[in-house]
Each structure stands twice: as structure tokens, then as C-alpha cells.
Amino acid sequence: MKRRAAGTDLIIPALAVSFTAYFFWTVTELNWEAKANGIIVGGILILLVTLLLLRIGVQVARGEASLAIDLGGWTEANRRRLLLLGITVLFLVALEPLGTSLALALMLLAAMWVMGVRHWPSLVGVSVILPAIVWASLMVFIGTRLPQGAVERMLFSLTGLGLAE
């Protein structure tokens, strides 16, 4: 019986836990509400990854799986995974210079394109509406000090809402 390469199933969870650890490390200056929400979501994510590790551990102990990583060659799915990883890294790099709203909009547009979305109203709608929700809910109503760029400064200036840095 060939054992399943379960190590492959740990790549995305390892990246998610790394991203969560990065968030936990950088939330020291955020308002307590943003910290609390992020810690709750991050805690749930870490709990789910722990359950996955337990499941894979049981499978390895039973001989049903191994911790080997088998990417299955250069498939379309693996190409998309690598592109999404690259988009995430670029988002993190662009966050400070571009600001949260623009970096998030570009990341969403690129990620949806990589995942096969070609319906322009959906691409533009999601890429505009979600950053607007983030701006309004986190930056205006809660007052979270997320990185601000030209878009945030313009929105604060036009609306008179919130406090620009």
C-alpha cells in the first residue's frame, strides 16, 4: 500500500500559522479591539492547524501516510499555489509604501485573477468594496493604525472621518 504524502497538506497551514505569528508579533501598537479580533481569529486558526497535525499524526502512526512532500510536478494547481504565495509576499512588501487599501485592492485583484476569475465586475467590485469595508470598519470606526497611503489620506480628507496619521 502506497502511503499518502501528507507533508504536502502542511504547506498552506504552515504559511497560515507563520502569517498569524507575524500578526501577533506586530499588533503591539493596535487598539485592543483589533488585537482581540485578530487574536481570536488567529487562535481559531492555530487550533484548526493543531487538529490537522493530530489527524496527520494519527495517519502517520497507522502507516497510512508519510510526512513526505509530493508536489506532483509542475501542475496548474501548483503553479497557482506558488503565484498566490508570491502575491501574498508582494502584498506584505507593498503594505507600508502603498497603504492598506491600495495594497489590499491589488492583492485581491491579482489573487482572483490567478484563481481564474475573469468577470470584470466581480474583479473590480471585490477589489474596491472589501478595501473600503476594511477602511471604514477598522480604520475609521475602530481607529486601528493600519498602514496609510495616498488612498487612505484622500478618503480621510474627503470624508473628514477618522484621524489620518
Side-chain angles (χ1 to χ4, degrees):
M1 172 174 106
K2 183 177 178 185
R3 296 187 305 165
R4 184 175 70 81
T8 308
D9 295 341
L10 297 175
I11 294 171
I12 300 296
L15 292 171
V17 168
S18 299
F19 195 70
T20 302
Y22 167 79
F23 174 80
F24 287 166
W25 185 265
T26 59
V27 297
T28 56
E29 295 181 19
L30 297 180
N31 291 333
W32 74 268
E33 296 96 342
K35 286 182 200 178
N37 288 329
I39 289 171
I40 289 170
V41 170
I44 292 169
L45 175 71
I46 290 172
L47 174 67
L48 292 173
V49 170
T50 302
L51 293 173
L52 175 68
L53 287 171
L54 288 172
R55 188 186 83 192
I56 290 174
V58 168
Q59 291 173 348
V60 168
R62 289 181 181 163
E64 299 167 358
S66 73
L67 293 178
I69 295 175
D70 177 15
L71 297 178
W74 190 246
T75 64
E76 179 67 20
N78 287 333
R79 184 181 69 81
R80 286 183 181 186
R81 284 185 189 113
L82 288 174
L83 285 170
L84 289 171
L85 176 61
I87 289 167
T88 303
V89 169
L90 287 173
F91 167 72
L92 293 174
V93 169
L95 195 54
E96 283 294 327
L98 296 181
T100 303
S101 299
L102 184 57
L104 181 59
L106 293 172
M107 191 243 351
L108 289 169
L109 183 73
M112 288 188 305
W113 185 268
V114 165
M115 290 186 286
V117 177
R118 297 296 186 269
H119 184 249
W120 282 102
S122 296
L123 284 166
V124 173
V126 169
S127 297
V128 170
I129 292 170
L130 285 179
I133 291 171
V134 167
W135 175 77
S137 62
L138 295 179
M139 297 177 92
V140 173
F141 296 120
I142 295 177
T144 304
R145 296 290 181 196
L146 295 171
Q148 293 183 20
V151 172
E152 288 82 10
R153 287 189 293 275
M154 178 192 69
L155 289 171
F156 283 127
S157 167
L158 288 173
T159 62
L161 297 172
L163 298 171
E165 287 182 10

